Amino acid sequence: MQNPDPHTMILPGATLGMLGGGQLGRMFTLSARTMGYRVIVLDPDPDSPAGQVADRHLLAPYLDRQSWQTLESECAAITTEFENIPVELLQHLAKRLPVRPGAHTVAIAQNRETEKSWLRANGFETAPFAIVSETDGLEAACRATGFPAVLKVARFGYDGKGQVRVANLNEARAAFAELGSQTCVLEQLLDLRLELSVVLGRNAAGQNACFPVAENIHRDGILDTSIAPARVDPALAARARAAALHIAQQLDYCGVLGVEFFVTTDDRLLVNELAPRPHNSGHFTLDACLTSQFELQVRALCNLPLGATVQHSAAVMINLLGDAWGGSTPDWLPLVRHPEAKLHLYGKREARPGRKMGHYTCLAETVDGALALAEAIRAGLRPRG
Ligand code: ATP
Ligand code: MG
């Protein structure tokens, strides 16, 4: 694939708009500013992790028309870090400037109903599922998936929130009510051998670049550990990367895309979900790859040639949740004294249980070496007394 036409590239010095101000937006902003771009962040939180490091923070709700005007008049292109961004905002801005990823792909990914339906319609295998929009539909949905199953809200679920596991029709009824009787997806609960993810970038010229596959371990529904490269048969890793690239092509995707996969105990590779943005499991790329997923997001947004996604060290990333704070900041000495451990904190002032406060990545020649260091550090991290 040829490099993009230089006339269509947005070069350093230009101003980029970031919709959403969380840690993903922060790491994008840092990468973009490193490359000499200006960044304007729109986020309603005065203390937003990305707003803190942006050239300008528009402190306003996403539907604030005045902020839309500022973005339109000052930015050369717009991206997002948050799939729940109102689609009307993306559609509005797209009339005047490049918005990448586009509204139609964000709309698919922000709703489990459209996401799973799109995957199924396009030939990508998922867990057996059925859509439930009213109590009456539950029985048929349960027949379609069987038990055990997991009921997930179609909109605004994250980190395992908005999901209930159910073992029979009565539990499914109670779960549907508990979730507010809103549209849900009922999925067969699978026996998982492991979970994988693939992060890739694709620019407007159709060039793509894909990182090595990560292996993900969740605790209480939240990503805890990512291991890269995944400890799987290279043929399976190649299939996951090919499927992720195929999804990006079918969507005519532009930007960074994260694709989560399940590997079942009977060795099927199923697509779990799509993230139309950098992914938590791709944080290892910051320290272990020639180009990070955030630089890739800048490059895809600006229609630059994509950077090299080669991994130079085995890596294990551990999320740091608010639980580790226990009322005061952890003592970082057990971490910072290791030269192969890299600490990333997101600037969030309030540590709440389950809140992603930061992460660290351990680098080594082998995955086993990186895992051993990551676990040794975990055992040593304690709230400061
Ligand atoms: P995140 O924000 O971390 O991506 P999420 O809230 O969007 O999570 P899912 O990815 O759907 O939710 O599910 C979270 C985790 O719950 C999965 O990574 C997996 O460990 C488990 N899980 C979800 N669905 C199933 C299933 N059908 N069978 C087995 N395990 C499942
Ligand atoms: Mg998920």
Side-chain angles (χ1 to χ4, degrees):
M1 182 80 61
Q2 281 197 332
N3 276 339
D5 176 348
H7 293 105
T8 64
M9 296 182 191
I10 298 166
L11 294 171
T15 300
L16 307 176
M18 165 50 77
L19 308 178
Q23 63 268 17
L24 301 177
R26 177 186 179 95
M27 291 183 270
F28 165 87
T29 301
L30 293 170
S31 276
R33 295 193 69 180
T34 298
M35 293 174 75
Y37 293 94
R38 293 184 74 249
V39 180
I40 302 181
V41 166
L42 173 62
D43 188 283
D45 174 5
D47 207 23
S48 94
Q52 291 168 21
V53 298
D55 291 274
R56 186 164 171 202
H57 177 190
L58 301 174
L59 178 56
Y62 294 122
L63 295 179
D64 175 58
R65 294 279 166 162
Q66 210 179 330
S67 300
W68 294 16
Q69 270 178 8
T70 307
L71 290 167
E72 262 166 48
S73 60
E74 295 198 18
C75 295
I78 302 282
T79 190
T80 181
E81 56 119 42
F82 174 51
E83 61 265 38
N84 291 316
I85 208 78
V87 167
E88 57 196 291
L89 166 56
L90 301 175
Q91 285 167 336
H92 174 88
L93 293 172
K95 290 182 201 145
R96 289 157 182 90
L97 68 171
V99 175
R100 297 165 177 161
H104 87 283
T105 48
V106 176
I108 289 172
Q110 72 181 201
N111 185 321
R112 289 189 203 277
E113 177 183 1
T114 47
E115 178 183 63
K116 303 251 175 208
S117 305
W118 184 91
L119 287 166
R120 180 150 71 186
N122 286 275
F124 299 100
E125 203 186 347
T126 65
F129 72 91
I131 311 297
V132 184
S133 46
E134 50 194 29
T135 316
D136 285 354
L138 256 181
E139 212 171 310
C142 291
R143 271 198 305 275
T145 63
F147 293 110
V150 49
L151 190 67
K152 305 180 177 181
V153 288
R155 295 278 331 253
F156 302 113
Y158 71 100
D159 288 348
K161 294 186 180 70
Q163 310 200 357
V164 184
R165 294 181 179 204
V166 296
N168 55 50
L169 183 57
N170 279 342
E171 284 186 20
R173 286 205 179 100
F176 188 65
E178 186 190 321
L179 294 172
S181 304
Q182 57 182 308
T183 302
C184 287
V185 172
L186 184 72
E187 254 175 61
Q188 192 177 94
L189 190 69
L190 303 164
D191 281 328
L192 302 184
R193 186 156 71 80
L194 46 89
E195 295 186 60
L196 302 177
S197 58
V198 174
V199 174
L200 62 86
R202 189 165 183 274
N203 64 17
Q207 288 181 313
N208 51 57
C210 184
F211 291 106
V213 178
E215 174 186 343
N216 301 319
I217 300 169
H218 293 76
R219 268 195 197 176
D220 303 325
I222 306 179
L223 181 68
D224 176 71
T225 305
S226 284
I227 301 166
R231 297 166 296 175
V232 295
D233 179 352
L236 178 63
R239 272 171 57 211
R241 282 164 50 116
L245 285 166
H246 192 187
I247 289 170
Q249 265 158 18
Q250 293 278 99
L251 285 169
D252 196 17
Y253 193 82
C254 189
V256 166
L257 177 71
V259 182
E260 297 178 9
F261 293 93
F262 293 144
V263 181
T264 59
T265 44
D266 56 355
D267 276 331
R268 284 177 304 149
L269 178 71
L270 307 175
V271 181
N272 173 24
E273 57 175 354
L274 309 178
R277 51 168 170 78
H279 193 266
N280 192 168
S281 68
H283 291 354
F284 78 91
T285 62
L286 283 162
D287 300 301
C289 294
L290 291 195
T291 305
S292 76
Q293 62 171 346
F294 301 101
E295 180 177 341
L296 201 63
Q297 188 181 17
V298 176
R299 288 174 170 273
L301 174 62
C302 295
N303 203 28
L304 304 185
L306 298 171
T309 48
V310 178
Q311 185 173 355
H312 53 71
S313 303
V316 170
M317 185 235 44
I318 309 274
N319 268 335
L320 292 165
L321 302 183
D323 313 55
W325 268 242
S328 74
T329 314
D331 176 6
W332 296 121
L333 190 61
L335 198 161
V336 296
R337 69 189 172 88
H338 289 286
E340 297 86 12
K342 304 286 177 182
L343 176 63
H344 299 255
L345 292 175
Y346 307 147
K348 297 182 184 177
R349 296 211 206 288
E350 199 194 333
R352 292 190 294 270
R355 190 176 198 206
K356 290 174 180 167
M357 302 297 289
H359 71 268
Y360 64 94
T361 302
C362 294
L363 305 171
E365 272 177 38
T366 63
V367 157
D368 285 346
L371 261 174
L373 179 56
E375 292 307 334
I377 290 173
R378 191 206 296 271
L381 285 181
R382 298 262 179 281
R384 235 191 311 250

